[in-house]
Amino acid sequence: MVKGETDLATLLASMSPALQEGEYVFCSFKNSCYGDHSELQPLAAYQEKEGLTLVIPRSRADDRQLEYTSTYRVISLGVHSSLEAVGLTAAFATKLADHGISANVFAGYYHDHVFVEAKDAELALLALQSFSTG
């Protein structure tokens, strides 16, 4: 496998944020484990001691009348960041915080994916794009 970029200046200048289609919600399922609820087509999963957290399409949650508190959009960073890179998450989280935007981050092997509230998605995208424009 190709190792990703670790230089913070390069990561910020070439992050190429892209707003993905669709809206997602975070749901928690007590007494569940990874693999349960696959019919919900989760985008991400994390096993916590309180239960299984799934990030699923809003439409799936609404169809099944599942409880959630907010709706999110995903901004994926196009740069192939290394899992060992230092400072990238802090830099973009700070930039978003400066605009009053909460960032929920999922790091995949190749890219970082930032979940922001749907109402803030366009502003968040502009804020992240400002890294490459100065």
Side-chain angles (χ1 to χ4, degrees):
M1 285 189 200
V2 177
K3 188 173 180 182
E5 181 63 55
T6 59
D7 179 71
L8 182 58
T10 301
L11 287 166
L12 293 175
S14 60
M15 73 166 49
S16 301
L19 186 60
Q20 304 301 310
E21 291 294 322
E23 293 185 343
Y24 295 89
V25 299
F26 287 69
C27 295
S28 181
F29 299 88
K30 292 182 185 210
N31 303 314
S32 292
C33 61
Y34 186 77
D36 292 348
H37 311 290
S38 61
E39 74 280 0
L40 297 174
Q41 298 179 321
L43 183 62
Y46 194 85
Q47 187 69 53
E48 299 181 285
K49 66 180 180 178
E50 296 86 356
L52 178 67
T53 296
L54 296 179
V55 181
I56 61 174
R58 178 184 181 179
S59 61
R60 297 259 178 203
D62 290 344
D63 288 347
R64 288 160 180 79
Q65 300 179 341
L66 298 174
E67 185 178 320
Y68 58 87
T69 57
S70 297
T71 303
Y72 296 86
R73 299 280 308 274
V74 182
I75 298 174
S76 295
L77 305 185
V79 65
H80 178 187
S81 56
S82 169
L83 291 169
E84 291 84 25
V86 175
L88 178 61
T89 302
F92 68 69
T94 298
K95 176 72 79 174
L96 294 175
D98 289 346
H99 289 84
I101 300 171
S102 171
N104 298 284
V105 182
F106 180 84
Y109 185 84
Y110 293 99
H111 307 283
D112 290 289
H113 308 277
V114 187
F115 291 85
V116 297
E117 285 192 75
K119 66 181 180 55
D120 297 326
E122 296 293 336
L123 178 59
L125 181 63
L126 289 173
L128 295 178
Q129 287 172 334
S130 73
F131 279 115
S132 62
T133 60

